[in-house]
Amino acid sequence: MRRMEGRWIEVADRVLVRRYAELDLSVGLVMGDGGCLVVDTRGDERQGAELAAEVRRITRDPWTVVITHSHFDHSFGTRPFLECPVWAQEGCRADLVEEGARTKEAWARRYREEGRADIADDIAKTEIILPDRLVTDRAELAVGGRDVVMSYFGRGHSGNDLVVHVPDAGVVFAGDLVENGAPPAYGDAYPLEWPAAVDGLLGLAGDGAVVVPGHGDPVDREFVVAQRAEIAAVAGLCREVAAGRMSAQEAVRLSPYPEDTTRTALGRPAGG
Ligand SMILES: [Zn+2]
């Protein structure tokens, strides 16, 4: 079985998004004069090499990589881009150090169980690259003379979600803080803190902004506002259940999301 090819869409002036059928993933490319920025590198070395080759069909300029968060599907494809600066939130590097090997095994096993040995093998063979340029709360880059701002607004979908803003284009790369086409993923999330992280992102996304989720098609500000309300509702349910004021069953009934999503959120640390 071969994977479906990706396709580029231009969401703003010299800001491209590459969409993949695999995991409905979106990655980004920001082009300046004499430099470009690749936002996320896909899930294994082979996938990263495909992305690198496709970027090279568009521009020969030297690239910088930024990783939106440590989850494998965004961070494991970095090796083919070296040597280059690799930016991420500092928790991303820590998570890749602590959990990377285990994550690699777990996803290789999962793909193998799904009968997708090709991807399982690719993940198993992948060398995890640690980001070498770390952001605590905020950092600015000049990508071929073009300003790009990387911001960490606290824990949310993961412990290290970095938002990448291209102010002159009105584009915000949200990582998985925003999800389109599927419910937000709570497996590593901090449900009570997630709404505040989305508020930080919304502070960058003015009217007319394009927000690029880590999965699914790009969205507008209104979509993010609506998803923020749902995530806040889930946070409220988590709080009620943790305080013993509501049963998990009742929370599932009231949740804007499917049962498995809600139960995953309820199972996360109530203080976190
Ligand atoms: Zn993720």
Side-chain angles (χ1 to χ4, degrees):
M1 179 165 52
R2 268 351 288 176
R3 297 163 206 110
M4 285 178 68
E5 293 296 309
R7 64 187 165 89
W8 290 109
I9 51 178
E10 187 163 16
V11 296
D13 176 36
R14 291 169 298 146
V15 180
L16 280 71
V17 172
R18 190 163 174 81
R19 299 278 292 111
Y20 291 96
E22 181 62 32
L23 301 177
D24 201 14
L25 188 77
S26 293
V27 302
L29 175 64
V30 181
M31 293 187 287
D33 291 324
C36 66
L37 178 70
V38 175
V39 184
D40 285 347
T41 59
R42 309 188 63 200
D44 60 49
E45 267 186 54
R46 186 199 293 263
Q47 292 181 8
E50 181 272 354
L51 174 59
E54 290 297 328
V55 171
R56 275 288 164 258
R57 287 156 64 100
I58 291 177
T59 173
R60 301 298 306 171
D61 289 342
W63 51 42
T64 295
V65 163
V66 57
I67 302 297
T68 59
H69 63 298
S70 55
H71 288 163
F72 87 100
D73 46 334
H74 303 264
S75 67
F76 276 18
T78 303
R79 178 80 183 80
F81 290 90
L82 299 183
E83 293 291 322
C84 73
V86 180
W87 288 84
Q89 208 276 333
E90 58 193 12
C92 175
R93 181 187 170 102
D95 191 56
L96 288 171
V97 168
E98 289 161 23
E99 300 292 335
R102 199 173 4 204
T103 302
K104 196 164 95 165
E105 270 178 39
W107 280 97
R109 188 167 53 241
R110 185 155 156 182
Y111 274 106
R112 210 172 299 286
E113 285 168 2
E114 289 174 1
R116 310 182 70 188
D118 53 347
I119 298 183
D121 290 344
D122 290 341
I123 292 176
K125 277 187 284 196
T126 288
E127 179 191 351
I128 296 171
I129 300 301
L130 300 177
D132 62 350
R133 310 289 164 93
L134 301 182
V135 181
T136 302
D137 294 319
R138 188 178 188 278
E140 293 180 20
L141 275 178
V143 177
R146 202 169 185 188
D147 289 339
V148 174
V149 183
M150 300 171 288
S151 303
Y152 173 66
F153 295 114
R155 302 188 295 187
H157 161 76
S158 75
N160 56 82
D161 305 296
L162 196 61
V163 174
V164 180
H165 183 210
V166 189
D168 75 67
V171 176
V172 180
F173 290 93
D176 289 355
L177 283 174
V178 176
E179 175 118 14
N180 183 17
Y186 279 93
D188 287 329
Y190 297 85
L192 304 189
E193 298 171 54
W194 196 335
V198 178
D199 286 340
L201 186 159
L202 281 168
L204 304 176
D207 293 334
V210 176
V211 177
V212 183
H215 303 269
D217 284 325
V219 299
D220 59 13
R221 188 177 206 282
E222 297 318 302
F223 179 98
V224 181
V225 168
Q227 189 157 85
R228 194 263 180 217
E230 294 173 345
I231 288 169
V234 171
L237 296 172
C238 288
R239 226 174 260 119
E240 291 302 295
V241 172
R245 292 190 293 262
M246 185 186 289
S247 69
Q249 200 175 2
E250 180 69 354
V252 165
R253 193 181 69 77
L254 294 171
S255 174
Y257 296 133
E259 174 164 3
D260 57 344
T261 298
T262 305
R263 288 199 183 274
T264 302
L266 292 173
R268 295 292 298 163

